[in-house]
């Protein structure tokens, strides 16, 4: 089975369409790790695509913030302004859809969650120390996470040692070397690893391989729409740098 894994779309319709047309003919099923909304200019369109294509998804912190399920004072001012704008824009049916998303989903070969298994919505798995809280809760060998917007693998090797590294464009990770692995496929709509291209992953369950792909999309078109919507300037600029 071939899975396309996407995460952190953040209202970025151009990046989403680019990633979906890349994955379409390559995978059997696409799966989303949350944060469909927030930051960008097209919240309704992004929700409707995920819903129409029947892409299983978990909820992220931006969904919880827009739904009033968490205190938005946890966010910095720019993110908060974008959440308030998104909340105002979202149609009732799309709020309803986002409200239907669960926090953790299990598939036969893996588990998906936005943040971590210890704190599904809010925890950033950005070090081995933090990752241990997820490793000890993993019932499947593989757990896909989002939230940090940086593609990484943190793994428990067959020899009992842990390792971790950032995954670059076209890297192939062989999972047969690991007892357990936590994988972040990066962000579709707001990459933060210094590579401005949209990020996505493909998981080949029979070859036990995960590959990361980075794709150029029309950043200027998104930035122009963000300006028209009066979204915060730093959120517009960061798309040019992937930071
Ligand atoms: Zn995010």
């Amino acid at each position: 089975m071939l899975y396309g894994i996407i995460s952190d779309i953040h209202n970025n319709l151009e990046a989403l369409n680019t990633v979906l047309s890349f994955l379409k003919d390559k995978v059997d099923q696409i799966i989303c790790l949350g944060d469909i909304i927030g930051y960008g200019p097209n919240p309704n369109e992004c929700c409707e695509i995920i819903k129409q294509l029947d892409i299983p998804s978990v909820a992220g912190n931006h969904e919880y913030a827009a739904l009033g399920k968490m205190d938005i004072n946890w966010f910095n001012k720019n993110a908060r302004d974008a959440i308030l704008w998104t909340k105002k824009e979202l149609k009732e049916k799309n709020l309803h859809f986002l409200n239907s998303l669960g926090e953790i989903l299990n598939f036969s070969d893996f588990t998906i969650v936005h943040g971590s298994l210890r704190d599904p919505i809010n925890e950033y798995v950005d070090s081995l120390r933090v990752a241990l809280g997820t490793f000890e809760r993993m019932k499947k060998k593989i757990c896909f996470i989002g939230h940090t917007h940086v593609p990484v693998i943190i793994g428990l090797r067959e020899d009992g040692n842990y390792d971790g590294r950032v995954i670059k464009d076209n890297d192939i990770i062989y999972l047969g070397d690991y007892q357990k692995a936590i994988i972040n496929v990066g962000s579709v709509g707001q990459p933060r690893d210094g590579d401005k291209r949209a990020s996505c992953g493909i998981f080949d369950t029979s070859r036990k391989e995960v590959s990361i792909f980075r794709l150029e999309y029309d950043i200027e078109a998104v930035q122009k729409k963000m300006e028209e919507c009066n979204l915060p300037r730093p959120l517009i600029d960061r798309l040019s740098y992937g930071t």
Side-chain angles (χ1 to χ4, degrees), residues 7-10 34-37 39 61-62 114 124 146-149 187 190 192:
S7 187
D8 295 276
I9 298 158
H10 288 299
D35 276 6
I36 298 163
I37 59 163
Y39 297 132
N61 52 319
H62 283 256
H114 183 67
Y124 290 91
H147 200 33
T148 66
H149 300 205
S187 168
Q190 199 204 68
R192 290 180 192 160

Side-chain angles (χ1 to χ4, degrees), residues 4 23 65 84 117 166 171 198:
L23 291 173
L84 292 171
L117 292 182
V166 170
D171 270 3

Side-chain angles (χ1 to χ4, degrees), residues 5 29 37 45 79 103 150-151 155 204 210 213 231:
I5 318 280
Q29 188 175 11
I37 59 163
E45 293 82 352
E103 294 185 352
V150 177
D204 182 332
V210 172
F213 298 94
L231 283 157

Side-chain angles (χ1 to χ4, degrees), residues 15-30:
L16 177 61
N17 281 333
T18 299
V19 164
L20 291 179
S21 55
F22 171 79
L23 291 173
K24 196 173 59 180
D25 302 324
K26 296 183 179 64
V27 301
D28 306 301
Q29 188 175 11
I30 298 174

Side-chain angles (χ1 to χ4, degrees), residues 75-102:
F75 290 82
N76 66 45
K77 186 173 179 328
N78 293 328
R80 204 162 57 225
D81 287 350
I83 285 163
L84 292 171
W85 179 86
T86 296
K87 192 175 174 175
K88 200 167 75 234
E89 285 291 306
L90 275 169
K91 294 177 190 161
E92 195 58 40
K93 61 170 188 176
N94 291 327
L95 278 166
H96 187 74
F97 164 67
L98 296 174
N99 198 33
S100 72
L101 302 178

Side-chain angles (χ1 to χ4, degrees), residues 189-201:
Q190 199 204 68
R192 290 180 192 160
D193 60 344
D195 184 338
K196 64 186 179 184
R197 296 173 296 174
S199 189
C200 65

Side-chain angles (χ1 to χ4, degrees), residues 11 51 56 61 64 69 104 115:
N11 294 349
K51 203 166 92 180
N61 52 319
Y64 269 32
K69 289 181 172 182
I104 297 172

